[in-house]
Amino acid sequence: KMAGSSAPWIGSAYLFLQSTCKTIILPNLYESSQKKPCVFKALKLALADSTGSVNGVDMLKVHCSHPHLIVQLKFCKRENCRRFLQSYREGELQTSLQNHLQLSLAMTTVPLEMELKAGNEHLDNMLKDEDRCLECIYREKPDRLRDEEITELEERLKGLILHQNINNNMPSKDCMSPNSPSLPSQGSSLSPQVTFVFQGQQFDNRSLTPADHQKFAKLVSKKWKQVGRSLQKNCRALRDPAIDNLAHEYDREGLYEQAYQMLLRFIQSEGKKATIARLIAALEENGLTSLSEELLGLHSNEDDS
């Protein structure tokens, strides 16, 4: 049934999260209008890490049920669900979420306990039987569309990556310094954007350099088109059919040249507005966290070739 059917593979599960630290109560953090975007960002990034893609698993709703935070998940591909289960079983998802929460909330540590359920089935009891877990998740069809609040938080997160700090060099109160006093917004400082935040750290929003250009072309591989389509939303020079034309024109030269020419077009058309923040936002949208880290110098020297 599952493999032979032409219908898309769709399943649902609930992820139960609880902090083992008495002073950290996840539902309280999520119910705080100030901290909610930070918790959501950490969840989003950790789930993207678990499947290798920003779109690998969809959050439909986050429930606050003390002491648990319960995340309703929707999977649209069996392979994505399999990767998620492997990440969950190996403890990678837990580690990733703890790290992202720690950075996003600016806390020293956020120890977690996790539980995964599909319907009445406790999947933690059968994690070694991957196919059985997949069957349980596949049997549970999502009973709702994505919550409006989740859609709003998604949009806000995308906005944060690009417009993180409207108050010059001051960290944003949204996800950087939860305890900092709120600052009055100053219309005059909306442009130019000086800094942006990635993985809880603040970076200067500089123009793209030749080194960035070469690293991008070398490492982005087949996903250069997807990144181009993310950039095209705010770049006329990359609007259709520009990306397909570039792919055709530089087909013989290979992926490096195609990626190089795409970013060159972006840089030439946008001038000073072709910034690292815009490229990082496009990379993040397509799950290319490792490449983002490379461009921002977060990888150790031994990784550099």
Side-chain angles (χ1 to χ4, degrees), residues 141-157:
K141 299 301 178 204
D143 59 357
R144 63 179 302 122
L145 295 172
R146 184 155 65 162
D147 198 68
E148 279 180 22
E149 182 183 63
I150 298 287
T151 305
E152 195 181 305
L153 285 163
E154 290 258 2
E155 290 306 311
R156 199 166 164 190
L157 181 56

Side-chain angles (χ1 to χ4, degrees), residues 30-76:
Y30 195 78
E31 284 168 341
S32 152
S33 59
Q34 195 181 15
K35 307 277 177 67
K36 182 177 288 191
C38 310
V39 178
F40 178 80
K41 178 183 175 185
L43 285 167
K44 184 79 180 164
L45 293 174
L47 289 169
D49 289 345
S50 76
T51 59
S53 163
V54 176
N55 304 314
V57 53
D58 200 12
M59 278 189 274
L60 297 182
K61 185 169 176 65
V62 178
H63 305 265
C64 292
S65 176
H66 292 261
H68 292 101
L69 203 62
I70 307 168
V71 188
Q72 187 175 3
L73 304 173
K74 175 187 174 185
F75 299 91
C76 287

Side-chain angles (χ1 to χ4, degrees), residues 22-149:
K22 286 180 182 177
T23 57
I24 301 171
I25 299 159
L26 291 178
N28 289 359
L29 290 172
Y30 195 78
E31 284 168 341
S32 152
S33 59
Q34 195 181 15
K35 307 277 177 67
K36 182 177 288 191
C38 310
V39 178
F40 178 80
K41 178 183 175 185
L43 285 167
K44 184 79 180 164
L45 293 174
L47 289 169
D49 289 345
S50 76
T51 59
S53 163
V54 176
N55 304 314
V57 53
D58 200 12
M59 278 189 274
L60 297 182
K61 185 169 176 65
V62 178
H63 305 265
C64 292
S65 176
H66 292 261
H68 292 101
L69 203 62
I70 307 168
V71 188
Q72 187 175 3
L73 304 173
K74 175 187 174 185
F75 299 91
C76 287
K77 287 184 182 171
R78 184 187 170 109
E79 235 2 84
N80 287 337
C81 190
R82 189 183 291 280
R83 278 199 289 268
F84 168 84
L85 283 169
Q86 287 166 353
S87 172
Y88 181 84
R89 186 179 65 228
E90 306 290 328
E92 290 166 5
L93 174 64
Q94 184 171 352
T95 303
S96 173
L97 183 52
Q98 285 176 169
N99 291 341
H100 285 305
L101 283 169
Q102 190 177 330
L103 283 168
S104 200
L105 293 163
M107 291 180 167
T108 49
T109 179
V110 185
L112 292 176
E113 270 182 5
M114 289 186 165
E115 203 178 340
L116 190 62
K117 294 180 184 178
N120 296 323
E121 300 287 353
H122 290 252
L123 301 185
D124 298 74
N125 301 332
M126 57 176 91
L127 286 173
K128 288 181 181 175
D129 191 344
E130 205 170 88
D131 287 335
R132 190 175 161 206
C133 287
L134 285 165
E135 183 63 55
C136 291
I137 291 171
Y138 178 70
R139 265 204 314 266
E140 290 299 315
K141 299 301 178 204
D143 59 357
R144 63 179 302 122
L145 295 172
R146 184 155 65 162
D147 198 68
E148 279 180 22
E149 182 183 63

Side-chain angles (χ1 to χ4, degrees), residues 163-168 170 185-186 189-190:
H163 311 291
Q164 184 67 43
N165 298 307
I166 60 172
N167 295 294
N168 295 327
M170 293 303 293
S185 65
Q186 301 157 4
S189 63
L190 279 168

